[in-house]
Amino acid sequence: MTLAPLNIGKLQAKLPIVQGGMGVGVSLSKLAAAVANEGGVGTISGVQIGFNEPDFDTNSEEANLRALKKEISKAKQMAPSGIIAVNLMVALSNYDDMVKAAVEGGADLIVSGAGLPSHLPELTKKRCSIAPIVSSAKAAKIICKLWESRYSYLPDAIVVEGPEAGGHLGFKMSELEKGEQKDLEELVKETLNILNAYEEKYQKKIPVIAAGGIHSGKDITRFLKIGASGVQMGTRFIGTKECDAHPAYKEELIQCKQEDIILTKSPVGMPGRAIKNQFIAEINKGRKQVKKCYNCLSKCDPSSTLFCISKALVNAVGGNTKKGLLFTGKNGYKINEIVPVRKLIQELTKEVGE
């Protein structure tokens, strides 16, 4: 099978591979540029991206806006002809300002989940391509209907994220624990069916990008064959030399076993998937970890939550793996070496062709 280019609005990626946004600081300019230079879509995560700025603790909102523009600029300089996307969670307390900053900074694409990005077209004003992340065909239909009626605009792509993804998951914890949720293949097929009517009406292709647990070239082939236009891969790119995370984070991924990857609860009410460690053990015992609130997520209540997700993720990306939250997809345990992005892309494309 030969990989066809991925068209997202006016953008065309040589390869139908989108590197997923991973925060805090796991996917910044270095990783995004490396993927973009290989023909994929490189993605910068905007979540608490200002963690390295000197005024982050005292002025986190301004630090984040400043750092986001810096990282986009650096990525564009390193990959001048590549596609640089920014992933922004709707749950961010300053979501609107971050979207505007990404547009002003020159992002080619904004990918947005952890809530419905209902007014994203209004914020971007067609200055870049936009793609919502959904976990059901129903959510895809709601977004299309809403954007069509309010803005006469349809998504340039839709990322369908299944239950095997890392980070925040768009499913109920009870569904995941009992295995009652639909698998990614079924979610992709249902979303493709929903989009048929919009594509016929507007004579416009809305590419579906499958995400969550995709690890190999064979996985990519499977989803392209059922109608997806591309795939999004996050965890697999943690295992690269260019990944912006601390080497200790990467080493935890290499050393972890299948049973070490577990479901956990996030302060925003969504379940997440992470590597079992001392931090997870403390949380499971009900030991409160909050010392400072960064007011980063609109649905987080510091008076009742057990831990600050910002602090936990900053610890992780900085190498403090015992006190950090190490997000990973379900298949993260399959990574056994750190390789350059170029080698990983070559391996994936070779597997697709076999």
Side-chain angles (χ1 to χ4, degrees):
M1 183 178 188
T2 303
L3 290 175
L6 173 61
N7 297 301
I8 303 176
K10 296 178 181 179
L11 307 171
Q12 184 179 79
K14 178 183 175 183
L15 296 175
I17 298 174
V18 178
Q19 165 248 314
M22 297 171 284
V24 170
V26 177
S27 62
L28 298 174
S29 55
K30 188 178 177 183
L31 176 58
V35 175
N37 278 328
E38 295 304 316
V41 176
T43 307
I44 294 167
S45 169
V47 179
Q48 295 295 71
I49 194 170
F51 69 99
N52 271 330
E53 294 290 304
D55 58 342
F56 179 68
D57 280 343
T58 57
N59 192 18
S60 60
E61 285 197 13
E62 287 299 320
N64 286 328
L65 294 170
R66 187 188 320 123
L68 178 58
K69 291 182 179 180
K70 281 184 184 178
E71 289 297 320
I72 296 171
S73 177
K74 285 194 285 187
K76 299 290 264 183
Q77 288 174 15
M78 290 186 282
S81 59
I83 298 174
I84 301 298
V86 172
N87 181 296
L88 292 169
M89 296 168 57
V90 178
L92 292 174
S93 57
N94 64 334
Y95 175 73
D96 289 14
D97 289 338
M98 290 294 282
V99 170
K100 292 174 183 177
V103 174
E104 291 168 7
D108 299 306
L109 167 68
I110 292 178
V111 183
S112 199
L116 288 177
S118 57
H119 61 299
L120 186 56
E122 180 183 339
L123 297 172
T124 57
K125 300 187 185 300
K126 300 183 180 180
R127 292 173 61 190
C128 68
S129 296
I130 50 179
I133 301 174
V134 301
S135 294
S136 69
K138 180 182 178 182
K141 185 176 183 179
I142 291 171
I143 282 290
C144 287
K145 189 174 181 180
L146 196 61
W147 287 10
E148 179 190 32
S149 62
R150 286 186 183 176
Y151 309 109
S152 300
Y153 195 90
L154 291 174
D156 295 300
I158 292 182
V159 178
V160 178
E161 189 169 82
E164 295 187 358
H168 292 110
L169 304 170
F171 303 89
K172 294 178 181 178
M173 180 67 87
S174 59
E175 291 177 329
L176 294 166
E177 290 175 335
K178 297 176 183 178
E180 295 175 343
Q181 79 293 325
K182 295 175 181 178
D183 63 24
L184 180 57
E185 192 166 322
E186 189 175 359
L187 294 171
V188 167
K189 288 178 179 178
E190 289 180 351
T191 303
L192 288 167
N193 288 335
I194 288 291
L195 296 179
N196 280 339
Y198 290 97
E199 292 179 333
E200 289 178 11
K201 181 178 178 180
Y202 290 96
Q203 293 298 295
K204 172 186 176 177
K205 175 68 176 175
I206 306 174
V208 168
I209 299 168
I214 296 172
H215 181 82
S216 67
K218 290 182 180 179
D219 293 333
I220 295 173
T221 301
R222 180 160 54 96
F223 285 100
L224 294 180
K225 282 185 175 179
I226 66 170
S229 296
V231 299
Q232 177 176 283
M233 306 176 76
T235 300
R236 193 71 199 272
F237 283 102
I238 300 176
T240 63
K241 290 184 178 179
E242 294 90 342
C243 174
D244 297 274
H246 193 280
Y249 191 136
K250 301 177 189 182
E251 186 61 27
E252 288 290 325
L253 197 61
I254 289 175
Q255 296 299 326
C256 83
K257 299 179 177 63
Q258 186 173 4
E259 58 268 26
D260 295 328
I261 298 175
I262 61 171
L263 293 167
T264 186
K265 292 180 180 179
S266 163
V268 292
M270 293 178 174
R273 183 172 279 110
I275 299 174
K276 185 167 56 177
N277 64 354
Q278 180 181 318
F279 175 78
I280 295 288
E282 294 288 315
I283 296 305
N284 288 343
K285 291 176 183 176
R287 293 176 181 171
K288 199 172 178 68
Q289 308 284 316
V290 180
K291 293 182 179 179
K292 173 183 171 58
C293 177
Y294 290 90
N295 191 35
C296 61
L297 300 173
S298 58
K299 294 183 179 180
C300 181
D301 181 1
S303 66
S304 59
T305 186
L306 285 175
F307 68 97
C308 170
I309 194 164
S310 286
K311 183 62 177 175
L313 292 173
V314 168
N315 282 345
V317 78
N320 188 349
T321 56
K322 290 184 178 180
K323 295 185 178 181
L325 181 59
L326 306 169
F327 275 147
T328 176
K330 188 175 181 178
N331 292 318
Y333 71 95
K334 294 180 180 178
I335 296 173
N336 53 30
E337 63 175 334
I338 306 300
V339 300
V341 165
R342 174 166 291 182
K343 184 177 179 180
L344 173 56
I345 294 291
Q346 289 173 344
E347 179 184 329
L348 293 171
T349 52
K350 182 182 178 183
E351 289 173 349
V352 168
E354 291 176 348

